[in-house]
Amino acid sequence: MINWQRTFAFVTGSIVVGLAIILVSNSFIQYVAREGTTGYLFLFGFGLIYLNLNFGFSRRFMMKAMNISWICYLMAIFTILPTIFWIYTKDVGLGKAQLFFALTVIFAAFLGAYFGIRRGVVKRAQYIQQMKDDDQELPKSLRRPHDDVSIN
């Protein structure tokens, strides 16, 4: 795998952020089970948090990584795993909304990863094009490993 240090840093970072989210927000999960607008707004808020975080992780990762977009989905899994584990092992007061909450968080995380991958690829292409327009040499982190190999 190319650039495994970056991959390791991003994956472990997503685990840490996933743990931090559940530690900070565990007391707010109970409001998702409330009826009416309050429950939907809290559910929407949790969805936005996971969507935005995974969008940011995936976009930043794909700006530097080439053709390994599956890592972004792995980061999404590691971001939501502590939350899913928490709601199924603790009594957080969700009741019947537990499955709906889990599906919403999973959907939001994977949607954020999907759009982050797309935006990261576009930003990488813009960066490479800008470098070509300015006649600058590409940094080593964006070069393919076989560019330095002799033809002979």
Side-chain angles (χ1 to χ4, degrees):
M1 179 181 289
I2 300 170
N3 216 348
W4 66 270
Q5 297 91 346
R6 178 177 288 121
T7 303
F8 181 76
F10 270 86
V11 169
T12 55
S14 67
I15 294 170
V16 169
V17 169
L19 288 168
I21 290 171
I22 194 60
L23 288 177
V24 169
S25 67
N26 65 7
S27 60
F28 299 110
I29 294 176
Q30 64 186 347
Y31 297 117
V32 172
R34 289 204 177 165
E35 293 184 17
T37 310
T38 305
Y40 289 121
L41 286 177
F42 272 92
L43 184 65
F44 184 69
F46 273 101
L48 280 179
I49 289 170
Y50 284 99
L51 185 131
N52 285 327
L53 284 173
N54 285 296
F55 176 82
F57 286 153
S58 299
R59 186 191 58 180
R60 296 271 305 163
F61 184 76
M62 289 305 294
M63 283 172 51
K64 299 282 184 174
M66 294 284 219
N67 300 327
I68 50 173
S69 60
W70 63 272
I71 298 289
C72 297
Y73 294 114
L74 182 67
M75 289 188 299
I77 290 170
F78 284 142
T79 305
I80 60 174
L81 202 60
T83 302
I84 302 300
F85 182 75
W86 187 275
I87 66 169
Y88 281 109
T89 58
K90 293 263 190 196
D91 183 24
V92 291
L94 282 177
K96 294 180 181 179
Q98 191 172 17
L99 179 64
F100 190 60
F101 177 77
L103 291 176
T104 302
V105 167
I106 291 168
F107 177 73
F110 280 105
L111 189 67
Y114 173 74
F115 284 114
I117 290 168
R118 290 180 56 171
R119 187 65 187 150
V121 169
V122 168
K123 289 196 64 103
R124 180 180 61 223
Q126 288 173 348
Y127 180 68
I128 291 172
Q129 186 62 39
Q130 180 185 6
M131 295 294 281
K132 287 180 181 177
D133 291 344
D134 295 341
D135 291 329
Q136 295 178 359
E137 192 170 316
L138 288 175
K140 284 194 171 219
S141 63
L142 288 177
R143 286 191 197 160
R144 296 182 304 233
H146 62 277
D147 283 345
D148 297 330
V149 177
S150 174
I151 296 173
N152 296 334

